């Protein structure tokens, strides 16, 4: 936490130093020299040159900051949501033109209002600068004609600010994506190590399950044989298929169905009623493995009470490149929330995994309403 705070302070200081440099660069690029001469009866009595500083550079600096941070925090993020590259470029270009014109109109009007309306005193004549009036304070000496001619310089300054904002935004995005990728790799490695430490030899496990399956069939216990078969399939999925970054959604659904069947074996038929709605055809949809199982296991663990009738409603819906998973179970007063879990997968670990696997593309909502515990997870599959 202390390192993050120091990092943010350093980043703020760098930004402040950057804008101080921009301010002085702006003044140096927009300053001008005004030549004044005093003509008395055809004879030049006095000639001088005055270096004038752009009097409203602070307003232009504000517009540059608006362009820079508007691009970073709003425009570029909005543009990237569009599939069309042309639409994204058009949005950024419109924003640039809007800010540039706003600076031109506001600063131009202030310059116009700042010029005195009276004529030059007798004996004074305008030089090459195009001045039509004499302003006593040389720091405010500026001509509208000069402001109009300065717009090419202003355009280059604004284009430079836009280019720097593009570089800054994509460097930050690259750094953020690299950090997320490294965190995901570290998390997956840690999970695999923990799993390898806890698992027994999978071949021994499958051979044992097959033997038990054969014994159950010989005894005519079809229900036990079916349970062992489903358990064998679940273990195979957990050991082999779940190591992949993504699995077909139909495999994840099949795993959930087997998990529901095995969990129901622990209860009488009238103690728990489970409804699982899912699409019959999932096409080529791919999801992260073992994504929904924590919520289903939590529903059985904390949403079923022996001797009472409990209900669990599970649904998976596909619509417009979006997957919606819901799990609703009965809530009893003695049931602990998922957040209070001291062991098992826990809600924090689920949230962490979602943040790593679907950054900015998921929405997890967990609520309690009228004796029901409701989980709703939406995932953007694009």
């Amino acid at each position: 936490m202390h390192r993050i705070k120091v990092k943010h302070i350093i980043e703020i200081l760098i930004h402040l130093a950057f804008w101080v440099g921009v301010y002085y660069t702006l003044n140096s690029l927009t300053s001008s020299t005004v030549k004044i001469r005093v003509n008395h009866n055809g004879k030049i009595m006095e000639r001088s040159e005055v270096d004038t500083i752009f009097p409203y550079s602070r307003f232009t600096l504000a517009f540059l900051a608006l362009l820079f941070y508007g691009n970073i925090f709003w425009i570029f993020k909005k543009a990237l949501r569009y599939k069309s590259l042309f639409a994204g470029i058009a949005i950024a270009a419109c924003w640039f033109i809007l800010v540039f014109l706003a600076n031109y109109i506001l600063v131009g009007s202030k310059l116009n209002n700042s010029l005195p309306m009276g004529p030059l005193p007798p004996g004074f004549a305008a030089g090459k600068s195009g001045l039509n009036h004499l302003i006593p304070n040389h720091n405010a000496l500026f001509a509208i004609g000069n402001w109009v001619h300065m717009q090419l310089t202003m355009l280059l300054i604004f284009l430079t600010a836009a280019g720097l904002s593009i570089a800054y935004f994509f460097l930050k995005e690259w750094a953020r994506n690299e950090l997320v990728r490294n965190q995901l790799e570290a998390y997956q490695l840690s999970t695999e190590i923990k799993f390898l430490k806890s698992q027994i030899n999978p071949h021994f496990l499958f051979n044992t399950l097959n033997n038990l399956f054969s014994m159950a069939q010989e005894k005519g216990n079809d229900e036990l044989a079916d349970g062992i078969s489903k358990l064998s399939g679940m273990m195979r999925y957990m050991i082999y298929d779940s190591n992949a970054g993504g699995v077909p959604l139909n495999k994840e659904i099949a795993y959930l169905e087997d998990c529901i069947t095995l969990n129901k074996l622990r209860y009488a038929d009238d103690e728990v009623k489970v409804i699982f709605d899912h699409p019959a055809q999932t096409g080529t949809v791919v999801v992260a493995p073992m994504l929904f199982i924590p919520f289903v296991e939590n529903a059985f663990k904390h949403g079923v009470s022996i001797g009472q009738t409990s209900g669990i409603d599970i649904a998976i819906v596909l619509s417009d490149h979006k997957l919606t998973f819901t799990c609703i179970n009965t809530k009893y007063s003695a049931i602990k929330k998922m957040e209070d879990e001291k062991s098992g997968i826990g809600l924090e670990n689920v949230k962490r995994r979602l943040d790593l696997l679907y950054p900015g593309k998921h929405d997890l909502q967990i609520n309690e309403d009228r004796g029901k515990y409701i989980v709703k997870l939406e995932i953007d599959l694009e």
Side-chain angles (χ1 to χ4, degrees), residues 9 26-27 48 51 62 87 91 114 119 128 131 135 145 168-169 176 180 195 198 259 269 279 292 314 359 368 372:
I9 292 174
L26 180 64
N27 279 336
S48 62
D51 291 329
I91 291 174
S114 68
K128 293 181 180 179
L131 287 173
I135 304 175
Y168 181 84
F169 175 80
R176 186 183 66 82
V180 170
F195 179 73
S198 62
C259 178
D269 291 339
F292 312 117
I314 305 167
E368 297 178 12
K372 298 288 186 179

Side-chain angles (χ1 to χ4, degrees), residues 42-250:
K43 183 179 181 181
I44 298 176
M45 303 296 295
E46 181 180 352
R47 188 195 304 269
S48 62
E49 294 184 358
V50 178
D51 291 329
T52 62
I53 298 175
F54 181 42
Y56 295 107
S57 57
R58 61 187 182 277
F59 291 104
T60 298
L61 185 70
F63 280 110
L64 287 171
L66 179 63
L67 175 66
F68 186 87
Y69 292 111
N71 282 341
I72 293 172
F73 295 111
W74 180 42
I75 295 298
F76 292 157
K77 291 182 179 181
K78 189 177 183 65
L80 288 176
R81 294 174 186 170
Y82 290 88
K83 294 182 179 179
S84 172
L85 177 63
F86 176 78
I89 294 175
I91 291 174
C94 289
W95 171 247
F96 176 86
I97 294 172
L98 179 64
V99 176
F100 182 79
L101 288 179
N103 173 73
Y104 177 82
I105 294 171
L106 177 65
V107 177
S109 64
K110 286 187 172 294
L111 287 169
N112 188 37
N113 294 333
S114 68
L115 292 175
M117 301 304 296
L120 285 170
F124 285 84
K128 293 181 180 179
S129 61
L131 287 173
N132 296 319
H133 309 87
L134 180 64
I135 304 175
N137 183 357
H138 71 272
N139 286 325
L141 189 60
F142 205 88
I144 292 297
N146 286 351
W147 165 244
V148 174
H149 291 113
M150 189 192 294
Q151 291 316 299
L152 179 58
T153 301
M154 282 293 177
L155 179 61
L156 293 175
I157 293 173
F158 273 79
L159 286 174
T160 301
L164 290 174
S165 68
I166 293 173
Y168 181 84
F169 175 80
F170 285 102
L171 281 174
K172 289 278 288 186
E173 283 295 300
W174 175 81
R176 186 183 66 82
N177 291 334
E178 281 295 300
L179 178 62
V180 170
R181 185 179 63 82
N182 292 334
Q183 288 177 337
L184 180 58
E185 289 179 354
Y187 179 81
Q188 289 177 334
L189 179 61
S190 175
T191 302
E192 290 176 7
I193 291 174
K194 290 179 181 178
F195 179 73
L196 288 173
K197 286 181 178 179
S198 62
Q199 74 172 343
I200 60 175
N201 187 298
H203 297 291
F204 170 78
L205 173 65
F206 292 134
N207 288 336
T208 302
L209 288 175
N210 288 332
N211 291 334
L212 291 174
F213 176 75
S214 299
M215 292 171 61
Q217 282 189 321
E218 290 176 1
K219 298 293 183 181
N221 194 332
D222 294 335
E223 186 176 5
L224 178 59
D226 184 61
I228 293 173
S229 176
K230 291 185 182 300
L231 179 60
S232 177
M234 289 178 63
M235 294 301 297
R236 189 177 300 276
Y237 180 81
M238 291 172 63
I239 293 174
Y240 297 113
D241 293 344
S242 64
N243 287 330
V247 295
L249 179 59
N250 59 351

Side-chain angles (χ1 to χ4, degrees), residues 252-265:
E252 187 75 2
I253 290 174
Y255 177 77
L256 290 176
E257 288 179 326
D258 290 345
C259 178
I260 291 170
T261 300
L262 292 180
N263 274 283
K264 287 176 66 177
L265 293 176

Side-chain angles (χ1 to χ4, degrees), residues 257-317:
E257 288 179 326
D258 290 345
C259 178
I260 291 170
T261 300
L262 292 180
N263 274 283
K264 287 176 66 177
L265 293 176
R266 297 186 294 163
Y267 306 99
D269 291 339
D270 59 346
E271 285 182 338
V272 57
K273 296 180 179 179
V274 181
I275 299 175
F276 183 22
D277 291 327
H278 57 81
Q281 301 294 330
T282 59
T284 58
V285 177
V286 174
V287 296
M290 311 290 291
L291 195 60
F292 312 117
I293 191 62
F295 304 111
V296 175
E297 289 182 341
N298 182 73
F300 275 100
K301 188 174 182 179
H302 299 305
V304 180
S305 180
I306 296 176
Q308 300 189 53
T309 300
S310 306
I312 300 175
D313 292 335
I314 305 167
I316 293 177
V317 178

Side-chain angles (χ1 to χ4, degrees), residues 350-364:
V350 173
K351 288 181 177 179
R352 180 62 175 161
R353 189 163 181 244
L354 285 169
D355 287 338
L356 292 172
L357 294 172
Y358 299 98
K361 292 187 175 183
H362 74 278
D363 179 34
L364 175 61

